[in-house]
Amino acid sequence: MTQKKAEAAPTSVSRKSASYHHGDLRRALLDATLELIEADGPEGFTLRAAAKLAGVSDAAPYHHFADKDALLAAVAEEGFAKLYEDMKAAGEASSSAQHAARSMGTAYVIFAATQPAHFRVMAGRRAREQSEHPELFEAASRAFKIVRDSLMSSLAEGDLELPIEQVVFGSWALVHGLAFLAIDGHLGPIGKDPERLRSLVQGVMEVLSGPPESKK
């Protein structure tokens, strides 16, 4: 059997990746990678394992990805794009700059809890090494910029004189920590319930800095 025929005729496919068909190889490999990461973490998969789960030949991934790092970069890029859209929507639905910053922080945690495989890759060492993956760098930078801009607007609205680096990294530490508490199971059932998690995150923010409109 030729490689082309092997790719077109999936054999041992399971769960999410069973929908592969000709022309959708890249998506099938991304889905298979996410499934493997969800089970074993970002280091717990190989290109061969992703190909097997997608139901294609061992050589098939190389049609789209040069190596394992390139596949992880594509997963991270997709994650940052999704996170950007979630945070943008949360900010646009808010009534003030301070409320927008809070809502975007909450969206960050909810994204992590509902997309843990994406989030683990985005937060991993390989995703931080973006110089060889310009598309990933652009997606990550876009997500970071919308957060920074929101926090700057929030500071201006509240008339607070604080270094923006302290605000950005302090806020990031808060939501990043809550995100990992959720996906690592430390929040128990709350971490698996987006509405309860949303309420918890908002409550933590209020405890630390007061209601969104209180500081003028």
Side-chain angles (χ1 to χ4, degrees), residues 195-211:
E195 290 310 310
R196 293 178 68 188
L197 183 58
R198 186 184 309 278
S199 178
L200 174 66
V201 174
Q202 292 171 347
V204 169
M205 290 181 178
E206 290 191 8
V207 166
L208 293 180
S209 58

Side-chain angles (χ1 to χ4, degrees), residues 129-165:
E129 297 171 354
Q130 300 168 5
S131 59
E132 297 181 3
H133 306 287
E135 296 86 358
L136 169 57
F137 178 79
E138 182 179 350
S141 298
R142 192 180 184 208
F144 181 80
K145 184 178 186 301
I146 195 175
V147 172
R148 182 183 176 91
D149 290 350
S150 176
L151 290 171
M152 290 181 69
S153 297
S154 177
L155 281 175
E157 182 180 84
D159 196 26
L160 296 176
E161 296 183 2
L162 293 173
I164 186 61
E165 289 80 8

Side-chain angles (χ1 to χ4, degrees), residues 30-128:
L30 288 171
D31 288 343
T33 299
L34 287 166
E35 186 171 349
L36 291 167
I37 290 169
E38 203 166 327
D40 301 312
E43 304 302 325
F45 87 101
T46 62
L47 283 176
R48 178 175 294 182
K52 181 178 180 181
L53 185 57
V56 297
S57 71
D58 290 350
Y62 296 99
H63 291 298
H64 290 282
F65 305 105
D67 51 28
K68 176 179 177 178
D69 283 353
L71 181 49
L72 284 173
V75 169
E77 178 192 345
E78 180 177 74
F80 278 115
K82 290 175 179 289
L83 176 60
Y84 171 85
E85 293 299 333
D86 287 355
M87 292 192 299
K88 180 182 177 184
E92 291 176 345
S94 301
S95 58
S96 68
Q98 291 185 48
H99 185 261
R102 300 281 185 92
S103 297
M104 289 169 64
T106 303
Y108 183 99
V109 180
I110 299 300
F111 171 85
T114 56
Q115 306 285 337
H118 271 113
F119 188 77
R120 289 190 189 281
V121 177
M122 292 158 62
R125 175 183 59 81
R126 282 188 171 89
R128 293 194 299 270

